[in-house]
Amino acid sequence: MKKIYILLIMSAVLFSFYSCDTEEDLRDESVLDIDESLQNELDVWIYENLTKPYNVEVKYKWDDNEIPNSFHVTPPKIEKAKDFLEAYLNLWIKPYEEESIAGNNPDFMYKYMPKLLVLVGTPQYNADGSMTMGMAEGGRKVTIFNVDKFAEVAVYTWDTPEVIVNRKKDAMRTAFHTLHHEFAHIMHQTKFYADEFKEICKGDYTANWMDLYPQDANLKGFITPYSMLNEDEDFVEIVAGMLDRSKYSNEPHEFYVPLMDEQGEPTNEDGNVFMTEWESFLYGWCWKKEYDENWNSYWVRTPEAKKAYEKFTAKVNIVTAYYNEKWGIDLYNLQKRIDTAVSNLVIE
């Protein structure tokens, strides 16, 4: 009986080959019917601007395979997805691409940028009370959460159009912190950074980073509380922090601040100093206001704060050298490119 069954199967297979062989008029066109009417305007834009030139797939519609069902999240609104993707192209892809070309690494973005971008409308709330704003998986996929709040700012009745635009620009810079962060993970997982980086704040990393304020992290030599989780998060948070503080990179802004002496310590004299946003962040690192016996205020940087500043700037030097040497990317030039791109892109 078994032999008969096998013979019947073989006969069916042979008949199918014969049928294919004797087909007289095979059609040139595909028999698959693709209904292009299902593609909306955003789908066409994604294909023309991201898929064709960069081989990037974007998923903004609901897909159970991309998001764990244990989290209560929703897909983004189409108009917010479009806003984000236009900024993604102009504020993220193109500045990196331009800088990598200038650094004689023209294939950098096409080769290393994530090929799957998943957009989620809401944040992912975790059991420990934290929110996940982005995830990178295996260098291929990046998920961005909270897209529905992209570049969303408070608007007051007395605000001028210029003020609103400037707020949106600031919000766009901040929104791309997550993408810079996740892309930096892909970079250091592809080419390792110097072990020296891991030694600078060794012993200060903690799983309890959520219990700390930004000032607490700064006093330990970290840019954010989250950067205290481990060495890798420390590294990528510095990259993201540099790139989302790109404001005034092309034209330094005038800040009225306490002036410093030759040793880099604040004096009692105030004055105007022209700086970029990143330079301003470093300039005021861990200053503390104190008072003399007559209750006159003055600024100081304590010995603890000075040590923290030295630790942090040492890490910044390693990060910038890594990007220059391993990838041909100058992070300070990239700041300028991002600043230009933000100035040119306005979300109405």
Side-chain angles (χ1 to χ4, degrees), residues 149-214:
K149 297 295 183 181
F150 173 66
E152 187 171 289
V153 297
V155 178
Y156 305 100
T157 54
W158 56 84
D159 285 336
T160 64
E162 183 180 3
V163 167
I164 296 171
V165 166
N166 286 334
R167 283 201 191 127
K168 286 185 176 182
K169 288 179 178 179
D170 290 341
M172 280 191 282
R173 287 185 177 89
T174 303
F176 278 87
H177 181 102
T178 299
L179 202 53
H180 294 310
H181 176 113
E182 300 301 342
F183 193 42
H185 272 309
I186 294 172
M187 295 295 91
H188 77 73
Q189 289 164 3
T190 305
K191 296 181 181 181
F192 300 137
Y193 54 81
D195 288 338
E196 178 189 354
F197 181 94
K198 302 177 182 180
E199 298 297 320
I200 295 174
C201 288
K202 189 175 182 179
D204 290 325
Y205 295 102
T206 174
N208 298 320
W209 62 270
M210 287 186 297
D211 299 331
L212 301 172
Y213 293 103

Side-chain angles (χ1 to χ4, degrees), residues 195-263:
D195 288 338
E196 178 189 354
F197 181 94
K198 302 177 182 180
E199 298 297 320
I200 295 174
C201 288
K202 189 175 182 179
D204 290 325
Y205 295 102
T206 174
N208 298 320
W209 62 270
M210 287 186 297
D211 299 331
L212 301 172
Y213 293 103
Q215 301 93 317
D216 300 326
N218 295 163
L219 281 171
K220 292 287 187 180
F222 295 92
I223 191 168
T224 60
Y226 185 55
S227 65
M228 298 183 71
L229 179 59
N230 57 50
E231 295 90 343
D232 290 346
E233 299 302 337
D234 191 7
F235 184 91
V236 302
E237 275 291 274
I238 291 174
V239 176
M242 290 186 69
L243 297 181
D244 73 16
R245 289 179 175 86
S246 64
K247 198 173 184 180
Y248 312 127
S249 292
N250 293 301
E251 296 181 14
H253 180 72
E254 187 175 20
F255 291 86
Y256 188 71
V257 293
L259 300 178
M260 290 189 183
D261 58 25
E262 294 180 356
Q263 287 71 43

Side-chain angles (χ1 to χ4, degrees), residues 41-58:
E41 183 181 340
L42 179 55
D43 294 325
V44 174
W45 186 93
I46 290 170
Y47 179 74
E48 292 295 332
N49 292 277
L50 298 175
T51 306
K52 278 177 64 175
Y54 301 105
N55 195 29
V56 172
E57 179 185 6
V58 177

